[in-house]
Amino acid sequence: MSNVILVAPLAGWSTPLEEAPDAVFAGRMLGDGLAIDPIGGTLYAPCDGELIAVPASQHAITLRTPDGAEILLHVGIDTVALGGEGFELHVRQGQHVRTGERLLSFDLDLLARRAKSVLTPVILVEGSGFTVTRRNQNRELNVGEFLMELMPVANTVRTADARGAGGVRRAVVAVGEGEACSLNAADAGDASGNSAVEAVGRRMSVFLEHGIHARPAALLAAALKGFTAEVSISARGRQASARSTVGLMTLGVRKGDDIEIRATGPDAVAAVAALEEALLGGRAVEGPEPRPPAQLRTRPAQIHTAADTRADTNVLQGIIASRGLAVGYALQFCRPQIRVPETGAGVSHENSELDRARALVKTRLEQAAAAGSTATREIIAAHLQLLDDPALVGDARTTIASGKSAGYAWRQVIRTSVDALRSLEEGRMAERADDLLDLEAQVLGALDGDGSTAAALEMPAQTILITKELLPSQLIALDAARIAGICMAGGGPTSHVAILAAAMGIPVLVALGPAVLAVPDGAAVVLDAEGGVLRTTPEREQMVLAERELERRLQRRAAEQAAAQRECRTADGIRIEVFANVGSLAEAEAAVRNGAEGCGLLRTEFLFLERLSPPDEAEQAAQYQSIATALAGRPLTIRTLDIGGDKPIPYLPLPHEDNPALGLRGVRTSLWNPDLLRTQLRAVLAVRPDEQARILLPMITDPAEIRTVRGMLDEVRRELGRAVPIELGVMIETPAAAVMADRIAAEADFLSIGTNDLTQYTLAMDRGHPELAARLDALHPAVLRLIARAAEAAHRYGRRIAVCGGLASDPAAAPILIGLGIHELSAVPSVIPQLKALIGGITLQGCRELAHEALEQETADAVRALAVKMLSAPPQAVPAHE
């Protein structure tokens, strides 16, 4: 099987799957992927494939690629309840579609009013034999832009119906309140007489409100994790493996339908009982922290529309390889052709020439790596390995021994390898073939002259370079300051030259086709690598619009980048620390790149979920240390395990709770299982240097909990012989903690406000409730008054106080929080440059006045109106005495 590239099926903002306001999607029970917040009402095919599941409600489509990867496109959350209203299907089940083909249309306004969310998950269905290796998230996407790359999983075992038998990632959760089914026992027994094997049958009527759609299908499959029995469900004349979410969805089971479950195996009875439990009850997994509200996220202006593209013959459609916008003048660039003699001048001479040329290329590559970006160094490292590849060099010497020249031999062995890679008919391998062709050109150039692969090219400013294909070495050799953009007739979005261009900030479109090679030199063009098009003969009005938009973006980017990597202060010099919330090493690295001054919240749950046993001390310590190292000495705030009945894990059998949100959660769970907490404390204490890490306790409600954990922490420190103390902080995320903040601040070393839970507990609104989601706003005056109370208590005791919940990632909230006395914000990494730039333009006095006024409002909407008014006003003047 080959890797599979998915492109964006919708235009909109891509976001981590964890932000979907639904436990099944956020918990990856259906599979891995990401979600898109759409700005258009048409869903397109993200890849070639066969439509294998199209429900009557038309809200979701599942397609299977030729290699067997199953992709679920689920438009909105809880849209099954619309019963097809607002959806228009353009395809049928069983149809084969091509990448970019229109699948369905939907009324976005209708969904926004009546669905729980319009956020659209794009899921690689669990158990289909692939895993996600790369994803394009936390950014604006257009239809057809790279979305995800899927890689085959070796030795994947699949069910006979080819829909996957793999387990799922999370424990059983509920299908929802009020959903039930009636059960009738069927025959049980083993015809072979083998008592070790059970055969069980059940008949039932399903009373799930919307039948077995994506969510309950995932729950049923989840219920079978850990069982070995073969389990199938039959309904409506069809049969599917109960382990396959896609298979279950294809049954089309509706409310009131009868289904039959059959299970065979040594644990068949228990497996069927688990399915029964999944249908009858359980607990809902808590949703993720909300991202910044949609109305506050900035979206780039659209330079064209889909209708414009279809109607305008002077617009060429391509694939986005590096995002951006460029206005400039076309310049055709042709790869230089190097002629080599076939016959050599003697084996010794030709071998010596090959070694000389390789050594020259190696020196040039090492020099380029030393002066280049991280992306450049990584790509050059791959080229250096290929340059010394023993198979390539050995085959070249064998060819030289037959009387051929060094150049002829090198070209022959390279072309043989290139042909082998391209014969695989897999995009990534074809792009790796380009690396070999680059090495061919570099070595042949060194044999022929000075080793340069870029012909002398006079480039004016604002050059839009047009070429059939471009090699990394050629791009490195060109004057990047004069290149406004690159357009390639061929190429791919994951090629090394695309990666290099992205690192250099150069917009790139690839796969534009041969028509782009006909664009004359000097022609004015608009390269829109946000929309995926090249406008070859723009009208004057279009040029002006594009130039204005480009200038706006450049100004905004310059301001944000300038603010991102320096210490954050308000316009009047007040220090505000901007940290990042992270949940992995990769997120920590991204946070540093975006200008994070530390980690204000490390969610350690990533170590504990999706496994059958807890991580030991050594594994935890290694992970924490890797993140600390990535932060390069910046503060690292490690939150202890925040888990409970709302986030069940198989090795922590918590007692059943009717309301997990009010049960064993956060520090309560840790104290209920002190061995788990003790191991985690030991791992945190192993982080070096000693002063970098600090500990944060979730869901604190009274000072006694802090004293208990501190006593345990001191005991572990003595056991480890560590004299250096470590800071112990607490999260303020319940009204009780906010009201008791003065007593809590006396016990804790620092405070951090988790606004997500604080908001839902204060307003008595479940943040996953579809009817209340729009009203669940952390800028509600009641929540702000609790934040103010906590900040006042922290200042009284000289404690630092931060906000690490979703409100810290909301630009509109920053001035209010600063005005309330918050001097540390811990946000999602992607918003950090924007936050820093915003903070640099406001004054503390202005923030205090805004906060005072916000506390006097009656609704969150009124508070937001004040914030928007302040942010849209001219920059605040700094008092002369400051």
Side-chain angles (χ1 to χ4, degrees):
M1 292 188 293
S2 303
N3 285 20
V4 176
I5 298 293
L6 303 184
V7 299
L10 289 164
W13 184 272
S14 69
T15 188
L17 197 57
E18 291 85 348
E19 296 192 6
D22 182 275
V24 170
F25 289 115
R28 288 183 166 82
M29 298 189 68
L30 280 161
D32 198 3
L34 49 73
I36 299 175
D37 189 359
I39 58 174
T42 304
L43 181 75
Y44 298 89
C47 58
D48 295 352
E50 176 190 359
L51 302 179
I52 60 173
V54 182
S57 54
Q58 303 183 11
H59 71 291
I61 286 178
T62 306
L63 60 85
R64 181 184 296 137
T65 71
D67 285 326
E70 293 173 352
I71 314 300
L72 170 64
L73 310 169
H74 197 285
V75 180
I77 305 298
D78 283 351
T79 45
V80 64
L82 297 176
E85 184 181 356
F87 291 93
E88 180 183 359
L89 195 63
H90 305 299
V91 289
R92 65 184 184 281
Q93 189 164 319
Q95 180 176 335
H96 288 267
V97 297
R98 302 287 293 178
T99 304
E101 188 170 338
R102 187 174 62 159
L103 301 179
L104 64 82
S105 302
F106 54 92
D107 187 335
L108 186 58
D109 291 337
L110 174 69
L111 267 61
R113 293 193 308 270
R114 297 179 53 186
K116 181 176 182 179
S117 169
V118 297
L119 202 67
T120 297
V122 181
I123 304 291
L124 167 63
V125 178
E126 182 77 20
S128 59
F130 284 76
T131 186
V132 178
T133 60
R134 292 189 304 128
R135 68 195 82 209
N136 194 5
Q137 63 188 26
N138 290 322
R139 64 190 305 178
E140 185 81 16
L141 294 178
N142 286 280
V143 174
E145 189 172 350
F146 170 75
L147 184 70
M148 287 189 289
E149 181 179 12
L150 315 179
M151 181 180 71
V153 179
N155 301 321
T156 299
V157 179
R158 306 184 72 195
T159 58
D161 68 356
R163 293 194 178 97
V168 291
R169 299 172 178 263
R170 301 290 295 272
V172 177
V173 299
V175 292
E177 291 184 354
E179 299 180 347
C181 58
S182 62
L183 307 178
N184 295 301
D187 296 336
D190 179 10
S192 68
N194 185 351
S195 60
V197 178
E198 301 172 337
V200 181
R202 292 285 189 274
R203 294 183 185 277
M204 62 181 66
S205 296
V206 175
F207 292 107
L208 302 174
E209 185 62 33
H210 304 295
I212 298 181
H213 57 97
R215 184 187 297 111
L219 300 174
L220 292 175
L224 294 178
K225 184 175 182 179
F227 295 102
T228 61
E230 292 293 329
V231 187
S232 66
I233 294 180
S234 300
R236 304 174 69 86
R238 304 188 188 99
Q239 180 175 316
S241 165
R243 298 181 186 275
S244 168
T245 54
V246 174
L248 292 174
M249 286 189 288
T250 62
L251 295 177
V253 175
R254 301 178 182 179
K255 182 179 180 180
D257 284 353
D258 292 333
I259 65 173
E260 181 177 0
I261 301 176
R262 290 203 170 274
T264 58
D267 53 3
V269 172
V272 171
L275 287 180
E276 177 181 337
E277 179 184 352
L279 285 166
L280 287 174
R283 294 174 284 280
V285 175
E286 180 188 37
E289 295 181 357
R291 61 190 160 163
Q295 66 269 24
L296 293 168
R297 294 200 304 273
T298 58
R299 301 188 185 278
Q302 299 297 307
I303 305 305
H304 74 283
T305 65
D308 294 334
T309 302
R310 290 192 296 269
D312 193 340
T313 58
N314 294 316
V315 172
L316 301 179
Q317 188 82 36
I319 296 175
I320 299 169
S322 174
R323 291 174 57 85
L325 176 68
V327 180
Y329 303 92
L331 181 62
Q332 295 284 345
F333 174 75
C334 296
R335 182 184 298 178
Q337 296 298 315
I338 302 175
R339 297 183 179 276
V340 296
E342 181 176 350
T343 304
V347 174
S348 177
H349 172 76
E350 298 300 332
N351 276 327
S352 177
E353 279 294 285
L354 180 61
D355 290 342
R356 179 190 64 80
R358 291 173 49 243
L360 178 57
V361 171
K362 183 176 182 179
T363 299
R364 288 182 175 276
L365 287 174
E366 290 174 342
Q367 290 172 346
S373 64
T374 300
T376 300
R377 291 194 296 271
E378 291 174 350
I379 291 169
I380 287 177
H383 283 199
L384 288 170
Q385 287 184 339
L386 289 172
L387 188 64
D388 291 329
D389 185 280
L392 292 177
V393 176
D395 288 348
R397 295 197 191 284
T398 299
T399 305
I400 289 172
S402 69
K404 306 300 183 184
S405 72
Y408 183 90
W410 185 251
R411 173 171 282 172
Q412 186 178 60
V413 298
I414 291 291
R415 293 297 172 90
T416 300
S417 298
V418 166
D419 290 343
L421 287 174
R422 287 181 171 170
S423 69
L424 298 176
E425 297 184 352
E426 198 279 307
R428 288 295 300 279
M429 291 300 101
E431 290 165 2
R432 297 297 80 83
D434 288 346
D435 292 333
L436 287 172
L437 291 174
D438 198 344
L439 276 180
E440 175 197 301
Q442 292 183 70
V443 172
L444 294 183
L447 287 167
D448 185 58
D450 64 357
S452 174
T453 65
L457 190 66
E458 293 292 333
M459 289 193 305
Q462 290 183 276
T463 289
I464 304 293
L465 200 66
I466 299 179
T467 179
K468 182 179 179 181
E469 290 179 324
L470 191 67
L471 301 176
S473 63
Q474 292 170 335
L475 177 58
I476 292 171
L478 294 171
D479 185 357
R482 292 180 172 271
I483 302 176
I486 298 173
C487 295
M488 288 189 274
T494 61
S495 66
H496 277 163
V497 76
I499 296 171
L500 273 177
M504 298 163 73
I506 300 175
V508 179
L509 287 180
V510 299
L512 283 157
V516 74
L517 301 178
V519 178
D521 286 349
V525 294
V526 174
L527 170 59
D528 182 3
E530 302 282 357
V533 297
L534 175 70
R535 191 176 296 276
T536 59
T537 55
E539 297 177 358
R540 179 57 188 164
E541 183 181 349
Q542 293 170 329
M543 285 285 288
V544 170
L545 176 63
E547 288 171 346
R548 288 175 180 171
E549 172 62 14
L550 180 59
E551 180 62 25
R552 185 189 68 80
R553 293 187 191 186
L554 290 173
Q555 291 177 353
R556 186 186 67 194
R557 185 182 305 128
E560 292 179 355
Q561 288 179 342
Q565 297 302 327
R566 65 172 181 252
E567 191 176 79
C568 183
R569 291 183 180 275
T570 61
D572 50 348
I574 304 302
R575 181 76 168 97
I576 305 295
E577 293 180 303
V578 180
F579 288 7
N581 298 337
V582 303
S584 67
L585 174 60
E587 289 184 10
E589 293 170 340
V592 172
R593 289 195 299 270
N594 282 319
E597 301 174 71
C599 169
L601 173 64
L602 173 61
R603 298 182 294 270
T604 59
E605 294 74 47
F606 77 99
L607 277 168
F608 293 82
L609 300 174
E610 303 174 15
R611 57 192 300 159
L612 298 177
S613 59
D616 60 20
E617 180 183 336
E619 180 183 356
Q620 291 188 57
Q623 290 283 350
Y624 301 151
Q625 186 61 58
S626 68
I627 292 172
T629 302
L631 291 173
R634 298 172 179 84
L636 170 59
T637 307
I638 302 176
R639 185 178 69 185
T640 59
L641 183 62
D642 186 11
I643 213 159
D646 59 326
K647 302 176 186 176
I649 50 179
Y651 53 83
L652 190 61
L654 297 171
H656 172 75
E657 296 174 332
D658 291 331
N659 192 340
L662 302 180
L664 284 173
R665 287 194 58 195
V667 75
R668 302 171 189 171
T669 304
S670 295
L671 294 176
W672 182 77
N673 192 325
D675 290 341
L676 208 60
L677 176 59
R678 187 180 298 275
T679 299
Q680 188 168 29
L681 293 177
R682 292 176 65 91
V684 174
L685 289 170
V687 173
R688 296 294 180 272
D690 289 338
E691 65 276 6
Q692 184 176 4
R694 55 189 185 184
I695 297 171
L696 182 62
L697 303 178
M699 202 54 64
I700 289 291
T701 54
D702 62 61
E705 294 167 324
I706 308 171
R707 288 192 288 267
T708 300
V709 176
R710 191 180 292 279
M712 186 182 298
L713 180 61
D714 290 342
E715 182 181 337
V716 171
R717 280 180 52 214
R718 287 193 295 270
E719 292 172 357
L720 296 176
R722 170 171 164 156
V724 179
I726 186 170
E727 288 189 324
L728 182 65
V730 302
M731 291 192 71
I732 304 295
E733 49 190 336
T734 67
V739 171
M740 294 286 290
D742 55 341
R743 301 297 180 90
I744 287 175
E747 298 286 343
D749 297 318
F750 65 95
L751 307 180
S752 188
I753 301 173
T755 54
N756 304 326
D757 275 324
L758 181 61
T759 302
Q760 78 165 348
Y761 290 136
T762 301
L763 302 183
M765 294 182 184
D766 182 350
R767 62 189 188 188
H769 196 292
E771 299 298 326
L772 300 175
R775 297 175 57 192
L776 195 70
D777 192 332
L779 282 182
H780 193 287
V783 179
L784 295 180
R785 291 186 182 202
L786 291 176
I787 294 174
R789 182 169 184 147
E792 181 184 354
H795 295 158
R796 187 184 313 158
Y797 284 88
R799 312 299 193 206
R800 293 191 313 277
I801 183 164
V803 170
C804 65
L807 197 60
S809 300
D810 185 344
I816 296 174
L817 294 175
I818 293 170
L820 292 176
I822 304 298
H823 286 181
E824 178 188 315
L825 301 174
S826 191
V828 295
S830 60
V831 81
I832 288 174
Q834 182 183 358
L835 269 180
K836 282 189 160 185
L838 182 153
I839 292 168
I842 57 180
T843 66
L844 180 60
Q845 183 58 36
C847 292
R848 286 174 173 169
E849 292 172 358
L850 175 64
H852 177 76
E853 195 172 355
L855 292 176
E856 299 303 314
Q857 303 305 306
E858 296 182 352
T859 66
D861 287 344
V863 174
R864 284 200 175 275
L866 289 174
V868 170
K869 180 180 179 181
M870 176 185 179
L871 294 178
S872 61
Q876 300 176 21
V878 180
H881 68 275
E882 293 185 25

